[in-house]
């Protein structure tokens, strides 16, 4: 990738595709001018004005070839020297042989100045080439050498603006492509971060489901071993049966978790109503609105966890589920009364990681989880779980 200088004189990368197309056009134009100039001036003699014109043609031919050296290779100082030398040689050739293709060298030199040099250098150099051309034509005419009117020599400076326009276009193209590459890198980084966050969320969800079921199964199996050692096979069989029940329940919870994770858009209210169908009626307060998927998934997983704990610790107890759309957020409350056989204990026979995972998942979204015993209301002696998540700042 080559470079050009922006108007401030700073190097800026230009796309290779743009350079290849531009270089092919420029090389074809240079070759055409060289061939035409040599066909027109190559038959001149080696003495007098003809010899001077031939020598200037050789110099201009070499310099027009150096025009195609990629920008940045020669360095700024050498490029400035190249343009100034070419402008001087082109103006001299134009002065004594303006009636032919040799006049094109001056225009090419001015255009190169506009493209390769910063604006504060390109304009003086181009103006200098035009002035030298006009002065040289005036001197040539005074000495009887036929050629253009000296005022036309000033037009040699005009291509500098075309060169500056081409440079500005290439700089803008390079800047746009660099901005696109930066945006792509940022998008890739964001996608990678989202992937890592999703992996962490999946790990927490699977851990929550398996930790509860497997820890309960482990405790029941240990209890059955103790009962067998104490000579109570009937109670041991009951403990093993409970372990089987926990395994089935854990598998069902795992399937529900995987289904929730695979779903791209979850209807929150419908899903919650289906989860508590037959055990509690969902109460919705506030103006419903569309929620980000990660917020919806967090609330559904919290509801699953709270329902599992209520069934485990207070089977048969009454349940209440409230969903409230608050300003800039949403709140979910799951309350269960005391078990028919007695109050719900805060301790759990599970791993104790369910509530921890719920809090971690909610904290990642900027929310909080509040859980504790109910001391008042009709459900006194039971347990409540409150999850509140902000909707602002959480995206799909």
């Amino acid at each position: 990738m080559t470079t050009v200088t922006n108007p401030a004189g700073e190097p800026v990368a230009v796309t290779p595709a743009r350079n290849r197309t531009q270089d092919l056009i420029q090389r074809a134009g240079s070759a055409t001018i060289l061939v035409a100039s040599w066909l027109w001036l190559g038959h001149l003699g080696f003495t007098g004005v003809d010899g001077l014109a031939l020598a200037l043609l050789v110099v201009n031919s070499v310099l027009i070839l150096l025009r195609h050296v990629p920008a940045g290779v020669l360095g700024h100082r050498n490029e400035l020297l190249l343009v100034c030398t070419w402008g001087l040689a082109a103006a001299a050739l134009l002065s004594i042989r303006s009636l032919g293709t040799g006049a094109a060298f001056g225009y090419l030199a001015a255009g190169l100045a506009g493209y390769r040099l910063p604006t504060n250098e390109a304009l003086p150099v181009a103006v200098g080439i035009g002035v030298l051309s006009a002065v040289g034509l005036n001197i040539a005419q005074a000495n009887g050498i036929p050629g253009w009117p000296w005022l036309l020599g000033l037009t040699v400076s005009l291509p500098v603006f075309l060169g500056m326009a081409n440079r500005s276009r290439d700089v803008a193209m390079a800047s746009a492509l660099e901005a696109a590459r930066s945006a792509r890198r940022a998008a890739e980084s964001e996608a990678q971060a989202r992937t890592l966050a999703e992996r962490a969320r999946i790990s927490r969800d699977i851990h929550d489901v398996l930790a509860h079921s497997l820890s309960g199964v482990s405790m029941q199996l240990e209890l059955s071993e103790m009962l067998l050692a104490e000579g109570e096979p009937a109670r041991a069989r009951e403990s093993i049966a409970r372990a089987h029940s926990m395994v089935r329940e854990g598998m069902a919870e795992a399937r529900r978790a995987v289904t929730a994770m695979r779903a791209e858009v979850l209807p929150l209210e419908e899903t919650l109503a289906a989860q508590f169908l037959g055990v509690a009626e969902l109460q919705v307060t506030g103006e419903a609105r569309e929620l980000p998927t990660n917020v919806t998934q967090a609330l559904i997983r919290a509801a699953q966890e709270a329902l599992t704990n209520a069934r485990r610790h207070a089977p048969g107890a009454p349940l209440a589920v409230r969903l409230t759309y608050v300003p800039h957020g949403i709140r979910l409350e799951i309350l269960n009364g005391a078990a028919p056989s007695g109050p719900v204990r805060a301790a759990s026979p599970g791993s104790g990681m369910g509530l921890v995972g719920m809090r971690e998942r909610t904290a990642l979204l900027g929310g909080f989880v509040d859980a504790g015993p109910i001391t008042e209301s009709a459900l006194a002696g039971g347990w409540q779980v409150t999850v509140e998540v902000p909707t602002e700042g959480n995206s799909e």
Side-chain angles (χ1 to χ4, degrees):
M1 181 176 292
T2 59
T3 60
V4 297
T5 55
N6 61 18
E10 300 169 344
V12 177
V14 182
T15 60
R18 172 70 179 90
N19 279 332
R20 283 194 296 268
T21 303
Q22 187 180 37
D23 286 347
L24 287 176
I25 296 174
Q26 290 179 350
R27 290 175 191 276
S30 298
T32 302
I33 293 173
L34 277 177
V35 171
S37 298
W38 278 98
L39 288 176
W40 177 61
L41 296 174
H43 63 282
L44 300 177
F46 296 95
T47 60
V49 176
D50 288 346
L52 177 60
L54 186 60
L56 290 173
L57 178 60
V58 172
V59 174
N60 278 277
S61 299
V62 174
L63 293 174
I64 199 174
L65 294 177
L66 292 177
R67 168 180 179 238
H68 300 286
V69 175
V73 173
L74 299 177
H76 174 69
R77 181 177 299 178
N78 290 331
E79 285 189 345
L80 178 60
L81 179 61
L82 167 65
V83 173
C84 291
T85 303
W86 191 14
L88 180 61
L93 180 61
L94 175 64
S95 301
I96 58 177
R97 288 293 183 270
S98 60
L99 300 177
T101 56
F105 290 112
Y107 292 94
L108 291 177
L112 182 65
Y115 187 79
R116 290 288 183 92
L117 302 179
T119 303
N120 61 341
E121 295 179 355
L123 289 177
V125 170
V127 170
I129 295 174
V131 171
L132 287 175
S133 299
V135 172
L137 287 170
N138 190 32
I139 295 174
Q141 289 176 357
N143 287 274
I145 300 174
W148 292 355
W150 70 270
L151 284 175
L152 287 180
L154 298 176
T155 64
V156 175
S157 303
L158 296 180
V160 68
F161 299 106
L162 180 61
M164 292 167 60
N166 288 335
R167 182 190 64 200
S168 298
R169 178 187 57 191
D170 289 349
V171 169
M173 181 184 300
S175 299
L177 290 175
E178 181 60 29
R181 284 191 290 268
S182 298
R184 183 182 62 187
R185 289 193 294 267
E188 291 174 351
S189 299
E190 182 180 357
Q192 184 178 11
R194 289 169 65 93
T195 300
L196 294 176
E198 182 68 6
R199 288 178 179 176
R201 184 185 67 82
I202 292 174
S203 299
R204 285 193 302 272
D205 288 345
I206 297 299
H207 177 273
D208 291 348
V209 171
L210 296 181
H212 277 88
S213 58
L214 294 179
S215 60
V217 169
S218 176
M219 291 184 64
Q220 293 299 325
L221 293 177
E222 290 178 359
L223 178 60
S224 64
E225 289 181 356
M226 294 174 57
L227 293 173
L228 287 174
E230 295 175 358
E232 299 185 32
R235 293 182 59 189
R237 282 192 295 270
E238 293 177 359
S239 180
I240 294 175
R242 284 194 295 270
H244 284 303
S245 177
M246 289 181 178
V247 170
R248 289 190 296 269
E249 183 179 351
M251 292 177 63
E253 290 291 335
R255 282 193 295 270
R256 283 195 291 269
V258 171
T259 301
M261 286 185 291
R262 287 179 176 174
E264 294 183 358
V265 180
L266 299 173
L268 178 60
E269 296 181 19
E270 291 84 348
T271 304
L272 291 177
Q275 280 184 334
F276 292 90
L277 183 63
V279 294
E281 182 178 353
L282 177 65
Q283 302 175 14
V284 181
T285 306
E287 183 178 356
R289 56 183 178 273
E290 186 176 354
L291 300 174
T293 301
N294 51 3
V295 173
T296 303
Q297 289 177 334
L299 293 175
I300 291 175
R301 288 294 299 124
Q304 290 176 344
E305 182 66 36
L307 179 59
T308 300
N309 288 339
R311 286 175 173 173
R312 178 179 294 127
H313 302 300
L319 283 171
V321 185
R322 302 168 187 164
L323 184 66
T324 306
Y325 290 91
V326 298
H328 312 299
I330 188 168
R331 181 188 306 123
L332 175 64
E333 298 173 275
I334 301 99
L335 305 91
N336 64 268
S341 58
V344 176
R345 300 188 306 272
S348 169
S351 66
M353 293 300 297
L355 188 58
V356 173
M358 189 190 306
R359 284 181 169 137
E360 289 179 351
R361 189 182 306 109
T362 306
L364 289 175
L365 301 176
F368 67 89
V369 175
D370 184 20
I374 302 175
T375 58
E376 299 179 354
S377 80
L379 299 178
W383 192 264
Q384 67 175 359
V385 175
T386 301
V387 182
E388 185 166 335
V389 182
T391 53
E392 293 186 351
N394 290 312
S395 60
E396 298 294 334

Coordinates of all heavy atoms in Angstrom, one line a residue, residues 277-319:
L277 N -48.7 -22.2 35.7 CA -50.1 -22.6 35.4 C -50.5 -23.7 36.4 O -49.8 -24.7 36.6 CB -50.1 -23.2 34.0 CG -51.5 -23.7 33.5 CD1 -52.5 -22.5 33.4 CD2 -51.4 -24.3 32.1
G278 N -51.7 -23.5 37.0 CA -52.2 -24.4 38.0 C -51.8 -24.2 39.4 O -52.3 -24.8 40.3
V279 N -50.8 -23.4 39.6 CA -50.3 -23.2 41.0 C -50.4 -21.7 41.4 O -50.5 -21.4 42.6 CB -48.8 -23.7 41.1 CG1 -48.7 -25.2 41.0 CG2 -47.9 -22.9 40.2
A280 N -50.4 -20.8 40.4 CA -50.5 -19.4 40.8 C -50.9 -18.6 39.5 O -50.6 -19.0 38.4 CB -49.2 -18.8 41.3
E281 N -51.6 -17.5 39.8 CA -52.0 -16.6 38.6 C -51.1 -15.4 38.6 O -50.8 -14.8 39.6 CB -53.4 -16.2 38.9 CG -54.0 -15.3 37.7 CD -55.4 -14.9 37.9 OE1 -56.0 -15.4 38.9 OE2 -55.9 -14.1 37.1
L282 N -50.6 -15.2 37.4 CA -49.6 -14.1 37.2 C -50.4 -12.7 37.3 O -51.4 -12.5 36.6 CB -48.9 -14.2 35.8 CG -48.0 -13.1 35.4 CD1 -46.8 -13.0 36.4 CD2 -47.5 -13.2 34.0
Q283 N -49.9 -11.8 38.1 CA -50.5 -10.5 38.2 C -49.5 -9.5 37.6 O -48.3 -9.4 38.0 CB -50.6 -10.1 39.7 CG -51.6 -11.1 40.5 CD -51.6 -10.8 42.0 OE1 -51.2 -9.7 42.4 NE2 -52.1 -11.7 42.7
V284 N -50.0 -8.8 36.6 CA -49.2 -7.8 35.8 C -49.6 -6.4 36.1 O -50.8 -6.1 36.1 CB -49.2 -8.1 34.3 CG1 -48.3 -7.1 33.6 CG2 -48.8 -9.5 34.0
T285 N -48.7 -5.6 36.5 CA -48.9 -4.2 36.8 C -48.0 -3.3 36.0 O -46.9 -3.6 35.8 CB -48.7 -3.9 38.3 OG1 -49.5 -4.8 39.1 CG2 -49.1 -2.5 38.7
G286 N -48.6 -2.1 35.5 CA -47.8 -1.2 34.7 C -48.0 -1.4 33.3 O -48.7 -2.4 32.8
E287 N -47.5 -0.5 32.5 CA -47.6 -0.5 31.0 C -46.6 -1.5 30.4 O -45.4 -1.3 30.5 CB -47.5 0.9 30.4 CG -47.7 0.9 28.9 CD -47.5 2.3 28.4 OE1 -47.3 3.3 29.2 OE2 -47.6 2.5 27.2
A288 N -47.1 -2.6 29.8 CA -46.2 -3.6 29.2 C -45.4 -2.9 28.0 O -45.9 -2.1 27.3 CB -47.0 -4.8 28.7
R289 N -44.2 -3.4 27.8 CA -43.4 -2.9 26.7 C -42.4 -4.0 26.4 O -42.2 -5.0 27.1 CB -42.6 -1.7 27.1 CG -41.7 -1.8 28.4 CD -41.1 -0.5 28.7 NE -40.2 -0.6 29.9 CZ -40.7 -0.4 31.2 NH1 -42.0 -0.1 31.4 NH2 -39.9 -0.5 32.2
E290 N -41.8 -3.9 25.2 CA -40.9 -4.9 24.7 C -39.6 -4.8 25.5 O -39.1 -3.7 25.8 CB -40.6 -4.7 23.2 CG -39.7 -5.8 22.6 CD -39.5 -5.6 21.1 OE1 -40.2 -4.6 20.6 OE2 -38.7 -6.3 20.5
L291 N -39.1 -6.0 25.9 CA -37.9 -6.1 26.7 C -36.7 -6.7 26.0 O -36.9 -7.5 25.1 CB -38.1 -6.9 28.0 CG -39.3 -6.4 28.9 CD1 -39.5 -7.4 30.0 CD2 -38.9 -5.1 29.5
P292 N -35.5 -6.3 26.3 CA -34.3 -7.0 25.7 C -34.3 -8.5 26.0 O -34.8 -8.9 27.1 CB -33.1 -6.3 26.4 CG -33.6 -5.0 26.8 CD -35.1 -5.2 27.2
T293 N -33.8 -9.3 25.1 CA -33.8 -10.8 25.3 C -33.1 -11.2 26.6 O -33.5 -12.1 27.3 CB -33.2 -11.4 24.1 OG1 -34.0 -11.1 22.9 CG2 -33.3 -13.0 24.2
N294 N -31.9 -10.6 26.8 CA -31.2 -11.0 28.0 C -31.9 -10.7 29.3 O -31.8 -11.4 30.3 CB -29.8 -10.3 28.0 CG -29.9 -8.8 27.8 OD1 -30.9 -8.2 27.8 ND2 -28.7 -8.2 27.8
V295 N -32.7 -9.6 29.4 CA -33.5 -9.3 30.5 C -34.6 -10.3 30.7 O -34.9 -10.9 31.8 CB -34.1 -7.9 30.4 CG1 -35.1 -7.6 31.6 CG2 -33.0 -6.8 30.5
T296 N -35.3 -10.7 29.6 CA -36.3 -11.7 29.6 C -35.8 -13.0 30.1 O -36.4 -13.7 30.9 CB -37.0 -11.8 28.2 OG1 -37.4 -10.5 27.8 CG2 -38.1 -12.8 28.2
Q297 N -34.7 -13.4 29.6 CA -34.1 -14.7 29.9 C -33.8 -14.7 31.4 O -34.0 -15.7 32.1 CB -32.9 -15.0 29.1 CG -33.2 -15.4 27.6 CD -32.0 -15.6 26.8 OE1 -30.9 -15.1 27.1 NE2 -32.2 -16.3 25.7
A298 N -33.2 -13.6 31.9 CA -32.8 -13.6 33.3 C -34.1 -13.7 34.2 O -34.1 -14.4 35.3 CB -32.1 -12.3 33.6
L299 N -35.2 -13.1 33.9 CA -36.4 -13.1 34.7 C -37.0 -14.5 34.6 O -37.5 -15.1 35.7 CB -37.4 -12.1 34.2 CG -37.0 -10.6 34.4 CD1 -38.0 -9.7 33.8 CD2 -36.9 -10.3 35.9
I300 N -37.0 -15.2 33.5 CA -37.6 -16.5 33.3 C -36.7 -17.5 34.2 O -37.3 -18.4 34.8 CB -37.6 -16.9 31.9 CG1 -38.7 -16.1 31.2 CG2 -38.0 -18.4 31.7 CD1 -38.8 -16.3 29.7
R301 N -35.4 -17.4 34.1 CA -34.6 -18.3 34.9 C -34.8 -18.1 36.4 O -34.8 -19.0 37.2 CB -33.1 -18.1 34.5 CG -32.7 -18.6 33.1 CD -32.9 -20.1 33.0 NE -31.9 -20.8 34.0 CZ -32.3 -21.6 34.9 NH1 -33.6 -21.9 35.0 NH2 -31.4 -22.2 35.7
A302 N -34.9 -16.8 36.8 CA -35.2 -16.5 38.2 C -36.5 -17.1 38.6 O -36.6 -17.7 39.7 CB -35.2 -15.0 38.4
A303 N -37.5 -17.0 37.8 CA -38.8 -17.6 38.1 C -38.7 -19.1 38.2 O -39.3 -19.8 39.1 CB -39.9 -17.2 37.0
Q304 N -38.0 -19.8 37.3 CA -37.8 -21.2 37.4 C -37.1 -21.6 38.7 O -37.5 -22.6 39.3 CB -36.9 -21.7 36.2 CG -37.6 -21.6 34.8 CD -36.7 -22.0 33.7 OE1 -35.5 -22.0 33.9 NE2 -37.3 -22.3 32.5
E305 N -36.1 -20.9 39.1 CA -35.4 -21.2 40.3 C -36.3 -21.0 41.5 O -36.3 -21.9 42.4 CB -34.1 -20.2 40.4 CG -33.3 -20.5 41.6 CD -32.6 -21.9 41.6 OE1 -32.2 -22.3 40.5 OE2 -32.5 -22.5 42.6
A306 N -37.0 -19.9 41.6 CA -37.9 -19.7 42.7 C -39.0 -20.7 42.8 O -39.3 -21.2 43.9 CB -38.5 -18.3 42.6
L307 N -39.5 -21.1 41.6 CA -40.6 -22.2 41.6 C -40.0 -23.5 42.1 O -40.7 -24.2 42.9 CB -41.2 -22.3 40.2 CG -42.3 -23.3 40.0 CD1 -43.4 -23.1 41.0 CD2 -42.7 -23.4 38.6
T308 N -38.8 -23.8 41.6 CA -38.2 -25.1 42.1 C -38.0 -25.1 43.6 O -38.3 -26.1 44.3 CB -36.9 -25.3 41.3 OG1 -37.1 -25.3 39.9 CG2 -36.2 -26.6 41.8
N309 N -37.5 -24.0 44.1 CA -37.3 -23.9 45.6 C -38.6 -24.0 46.3 O -38.6 -24.7 47.4 CB -36.5 -22.6 45.9 CG -35.1 -22.6 45.5 OD1 -34.5 -23.7 45.2 ND2 -34.5 -21.5 45.3
A310 N -39.6 -23.4 45.8 CA -40.9 -23.4 46.5 C -41.4 -24.9 46.5 O -42.0 -25.3 47.6 CB -41.9 -22.5 45.9
R311 N -41.3 -25.6 45.4 CA -41.8 -26.9 45.4 C -41.0 -27.8 46.3 O -41.5 -28.8 46.9 CB -41.7 -27.5 44.0 CG -42.8 -26.9 43.0 CD -42.6 -27.3 41.6 NE -43.7 -26.9 40.7 CZ -43.7 -27.1 39.4 NH1 -42.6 -27.6 38.8 NH2 -44.8 -26.7 38.7
R312 N -39.7 -27.6 46.4 CA -38.8 -28.4 47.2 C -39.1 -28.2 48.7 O -39.1 -29.1 49.5 CB -37.4 -28.2 46.8 CG -36.4 -29.0 47.7 CD -35.0 -28.8 47.3 NE -34.7 -29.3 45.9 CZ -34.2 -28.5 44.9 NH1 -33.9 -27.3 45.2 NH2 -34.0 -29.1 43.8
H313 N -39.2 -26.9 49.1 CA -39.2 -26.6 50.5 C -40.6 -26.4 51.1 O -40.8 -26.5 52.3 CB -38.4 -25.3 50.8 CG -37.0 -25.4 50.3 ND1 -36.1 -26.4 50.8 CD2 -36.3 -24.7 49.4 CE1 -34.9 -26.2 50.3 NE2 -35.0 -25.2 49.4
A314 N -41.5 -26.1 50.2 CA -42.9 -25.8 50.7 C -43.9 -26.4 49.7 O -44.7 -25.7 49.1 CB -43.2 -24.3 50.9
P315 N -43.9 -27.7 49.5 CA -44.8 -28.4 48.6 C -46.3 -28.2 49.1 O -46.6 -28.3 50.2 CB -44.4 -29.8 48.6 CG -43.7 -30.0 49.9 CD -43.0 -28.7 50.2
G316 N -47.1 -27.8 48.1 CA -48.5 -27.6 48.5 C -48.8 -26.2 49.0 O -50.0 -25.9 49.2
A317 N -47.8 -25.3 49.3 CA -48.1 -24.0 49.8 C -48.6 -23.1 48.7 O -48.3 -23.3 47.5 CB -46.8 -23.4 50.4
P318 N -49.4 -22.1 49.1 CA -49.9 -21.1 48.1 C -48.8 -20.3 47.5 O -47.8 -20.0 48.2 CB -50.9 -20.3 48.9 CG -50.5 -20.4 50.3 CD -49.9 -21.8 50.4
L319 N -48.9 -19.9 46.2 CA -47.9 -19.1 45.5 C -48.6 -17.8 45.0 O -49.8 -17.8 44.6 CB -47.3 -19.9 44.4 CG -46.3 -21.0 44.7 CD1 -45.9 -21.8 43.5 CD2 -45.0 -20.3 45.2

